[in-house]
Amino acid sequence: MGKGVNSATMQAEQLKQDGNLYFKKNKLGAAIDAYTEAIALCPKIAIYWTNRAVCYRKRNDWRRVEEDCRKAIQLDHHSVKGHFMLGLALLQREKYAEGIKDLERSLDLARGENPYSYMVEEIWQELSKAKYQEWERDSTKRSWELQNLKECCEIALKEKHLCAITQYEGFTDEVTGSTSEQLKALNSVFSKAAEYDTPTEVPDYLCCKITLDIFRDPVIAPSGLTYERATILEHLNKVGNFDPVTRQTLYPCQLVQNLAIKEAVQAFLEKHGWAYKMD
């Protein structure tokens, strides 16, 4: 029995390798078949399901992506690719809250495994795009509702104005002046309310001095300057062990996560509904 199990495991692993090779050659059908056979032999291996989901993702077959990723997550709750692609599949169905939740989960898992991996960057980009799309959708709805409400208020004021003129015939100028002031106040109130849905620039202190992009994983150096972790580590590795701004000696072990800036970035993004669109 043990030999049979080992044989099936070895065969499934070989099928996975075959599937990987087919995928690299863009033979998606053959890759899907190989992963499907591997799943039939060893259905409890999460990576076989996520590998097949990758193929379906490339075909834009999001229903199957969702199915395979849900199965992978059942088998391995810590599957980075499972949560990532499930999030993407849910976004395709405009289930933003659920999709964003899975993307955030995959980002946390990816950072825990390797904070400098390509997956962290890819997930971050997709997450920022998803949050912007969610904000844009909600913003459009709010703007439409706000405009309708403003028009109703303006109509009510004008009707009130006409009634007042009829009632107080000798005070036309006073009534008109009062209505004019009320309309100005109304426009001011609604303009202020609309500011929430207006894209805004990110303050300089929330941006890395090297990339000039908003911080994602900020770390502070002994000089007091804050950098994006992946960027400063790349500088130290390729250029030399010194602070790129102050030129002071700097080693990776001296970098400390800047929690204050990280929280400030999160607060900014939440306040502005991710209205700052990341490229």
Side-chain angles (χ1 to χ4, degrees):
M1 180 128 181
K3 290 183 179 179
V5 172
N6 289 336
S7 176
T9 301
M10 291 175 63
Q11 190 177 349
E13 189 62 23
Q14 182 57 55
L15 285 164
K16 186 195 81 169
Q17 297 301 327
D18 293 342
N20 292 349
L21 185 60
Y22 290 136
F23 181 81
K24 288 178 181 178
K25 293 181 178 181
N26 205 33
K27 296 181 178 180
L28 298 180
I32 289 171
D33 288 343
Y35 295 136
T36 300
E37 289 184 49
I39 289 169
L41 289 168
C42 296
K44 293 186 178 181
I45 305 298
I47 194 171
Y48 298 163
W49 295 90
T50 52
N51 279 11
R52 190 170 70 173
V54 171
C55 297
Y56 288 138
R57 177 191 175 191
K58 201 162 185 181
R59 283 185 166 182
N60 290 318
D61 190 342
W62 293 103
R63 180 181 64 80
R64 286 190 169 90
V65 170
E66 182 177 346
E67 290 173 354
D68 279 5
C69 288
R70 288 193 184 281
K71 183 62 179 179
I73 292 170
Q74 284 179 4
L75 297 169
D76 178 10
H77 298 307
H78 297 89
S79 173
V80 175
K81 289 185 177 180
H83 284 288
F84 175 56
M85 289 187 291
L86 175 58
L88 296 180
L90 291 169
L91 292 174
Q92 290 295 318
R93 294 203 281 136
E94 297 188 0
K95 291 192 171 184
Y96 291 104
E98 293 177 46
I100 287 171
K101 183 178 179 180
D102 272 290
L103 289 180
E104 289 176 334
R105 176 61 175 156
S106 69
L107 183 61
D108 289 340
L109 291 169
R111 281 176 170 165
E113 289 182 2
N114 182 0
Y116 320 118
S117 72
Y118 77 93
M119 277 296 294
V120 171
E121 179 66 20
E122 184 180 4
I123 296 168
W124 174 271
Q125 291 291 342
E126 292 293 344
L127 179 59
S128 63
K129 188 193 304 180
K131 289 200 172 186
Y132 181 81
Q133 289 172 340
E134 182 185 42
W135 170 83
E136 192 173 41
R137 181 200 62 181
D138 293 344
S139 173
T140 300
K141 181 181 178 182
R142 281 193 301 267
S143 296
W144 182 82
E145 292 173 344
L146 201 63
Q147 183 60 30
N148 277 351
L149 180 59
K150 180 184 176 184
E151 290 174 1
C152 289
C153 291
E154 287 176 342
I155 290 171
L157 276 175
K158 288 174 182 177
E159 288 178 349
K160 180 183 177 183
H161 171 68
L162 291 174
C163 289
I165 288 178
T166 303
Q167 185 175 359
Y168 304 104
E169 294 182 2
F171 300 92
T172 302
D173 291 342
E174 288 85 343
V175 171
T176 300
S178 175
T179 301
S180 178
E181 288 299 317
Q182 288 175 333
L183 284 171
K184 285 181 181 179
L186 182 70
N187 285 326
S188 176
V189 169
F190 278 95
S191 294
K192 189 68 177 176
E195 288 179 6
Y196 179 82
D197 292 313
T198 302
T200 184
E201 293 295 323
V202 181
D204 289 341
Y205 73 91
L206 296 182
C207 297
C208 176
K209 294 184 179 298
I210 300 176
T211 65
L212 302 181
D213 196 5
I214 192 167
F215 282 116
R216 304 170 189 187
D217 186 11
V219 291
I220 188 168
S223 63
L225 295 173
T226 298
Y227 300 102
E228 181 64 30
R229 185 190 296 274
T231 303
I232 188 64
L233 287 175
E234 183 179 16
H235 164 83
L236 297 177
N237 182 48
K238 295 183 177 180
V239 183
N241 290 311
F242 60 89
D243 190 305
V245 176
T246 66
R247 316 299 287 184
Q248 297 174 2
T249 300
L250 177 63
Y251 294 98
C253 62
Q254 294 176 284
L255 298 171
V256 179
Q257 187 176 40
N258 193 329
L259 293 175
I261 290 295
K262 188 173 183 179
E263 289 175 3
V265 167
Q266 189 62 33
F268 172 84
L269 294 176
E270 289 177 356
K271 179 180 179 181
H272 296 283
W274 288 70
Y276 164 66
K277 187 176 183 180
M278 300 179 189
D279 297 326

